[in-house]
């Protein structure tokens, strides 16, 4: 059984039972965060969709506290605020297909934003999750459905920096996930 908890903004804690991940941890300085970064325990991977503060803010702190690996776009490996974080605990990827990490498969897909942006495809225990990251609507979202068949999608709806509710509703149709969660709204 999978447990998914929204920690506000674009941050999600996903528990597959035998493995936990966190995506886009922005807890410190987030007025809506229900937990503190130091309360996040037992995560193996910290996924970061792009290098804006409201997505990467607590990534290295949580990874350090959990001896977890940070996964993000290749340029993340050169992120200046990583404070001596060990190279062996960073997995720099790029957009392409799923990569088998042994206990989970993770891939990066396109997003339309700024800050070395991407979305994530996560597959474990027969469940496929699509976290869109910060993105505008783009028609090639239909290929997310065609290639990966996500069961769960997480789409931004805040507008201004991302697509709004109207565009997200159309994106949800193209993606075709059984469950779609809204994110990246109401934080500020």
């Amino acid at each position: 059984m999978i447990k998914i908890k929204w920690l506000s903004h674009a941050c999600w804690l996903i528990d597959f039972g035998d493995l936990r991940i966190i995506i886009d941890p922005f807890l410190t300085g987030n007025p809506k965060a229900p937990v503190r970064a130091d309360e996040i325990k037992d995560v193996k991977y910290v996924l970061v969709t792009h290098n804006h503060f409201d997505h990467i803010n607590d990534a290295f702190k949580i990874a350090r506290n959990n001896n977890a690996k940070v996964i993000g776009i290749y340029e993340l490996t050169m992120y200046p605020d990583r404070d001596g974080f060990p190279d062996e605990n960073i997995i720099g990827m790029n957009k392409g297909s799923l990569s088998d990490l042994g206990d989970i498969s993770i891939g990066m897909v396109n997003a339309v934003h700024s800050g070395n942006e991407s979305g994530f495809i996560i597959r474990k225990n027969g469940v496929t999750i699509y976290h869109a990251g910060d993105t505008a609507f783009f028609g090639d979202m239909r290929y997310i459905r065609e290639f990966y068949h996500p069961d769960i999608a997480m789409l931004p709806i805040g507008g201004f920096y991302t697509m709004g509710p109207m565009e997200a509703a159309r994106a949800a149709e193209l993606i075709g996930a059984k469950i779609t969660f809204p994110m990246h709204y109401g934080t500020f």
Side-chain angles (χ1 to χ4, degrees):
M1 187 163 110
I2 184 173
K3 294 179 185 176
I4 299 174
K5 184 172 184 177
W6 183 48
L7 300 179
S8 82
H9 207 59
C11 182
W12 298 86
L13 184 62
I14 303 172
D15 188 338
F16 290 98
D18 60 341
L19 183 138
R20 288 168 43 114
I21 65 172
I22 191 166
I23 306 170
D24 283 351
F26 169 47
L27 304 170
T28 304
N30 177 342
K32 301 290 173 87
V35 297
R36 296 184 324 268
D38 60 1
E39 294 177 284
I40 301 299
K41 303 292 182 206
D42 303 319
V43 297
K44 184 167 184 182
Y45 299 106
V46 179
L47 282 61
V48 180
T49 61
H50 64 294
N51 63 10
H52 291 167
F53 79 95
D54 58 334
H55 297 265
I56 196 169
N57 196 47
D58 293 306
F60 293 103
K61 178 179 183 177
I62 290 170
R64 187 175 280 113
N65 290 347
N66 287 270
N67 194 30
K69 296 194 182 300
V70 175
I71 300 176
I73 200 107
Y74 174 76
E75 285 75 12
L76 183 72
T77 64
M78 297 174 274
Y79 192 70
D81 293 335
R82 59 181 234 194
D83 296 327
F85 193 77
D87 288 341
E88 61 270 14
N89 280 10
I90 295 182
I91 300 173
M93 300 177 115
N94 217 316
K95 299 167 192 172
S97 64
L98 284 172
S99 295
D100 182 358
L101 302 179
D103 51 10
I104 193 168
S105 294
I106 297 175
M108 298 183 88
V109 295
N110 197 31
V112 178
H113 192 58
S114 61
N116 292 316
E117 70 280 3
S118 67
F120 279 106
I121 301 294
I122 303 145
R123 185 172 289 155
K124 181 160 176 63
N125 300 342
V127 177
T128 301
I129 299 169
Y130 168 47
H131 185 291
D134 280 11
T135 191
F137 174 84
F138 59 98
D140 284 352
M141 287 179 162
R142 68 184 177 270
Y143 294 121
I144 304 281
R145 178 184 203 157
E146 182 179 328
F147 294 147
Y148 303 110
H149 309 285
D151 301 292
I152 299 165
M154 299 152 172
L155 301 177
I157 66 164
F160 197 72
Y161 285 104
T162 68
M163 61 183 152
M166 179 184 70
E167 297 87 358
R170 180 66 178 119
E173 290 174 4
L174 287 181
I175 294 160
K178 296 172 193 148
I179 300 168
T180 299
F181 293 113
M183 66 174 181
H184 206 286
Y185 69 92
T187 308
F188 303 107

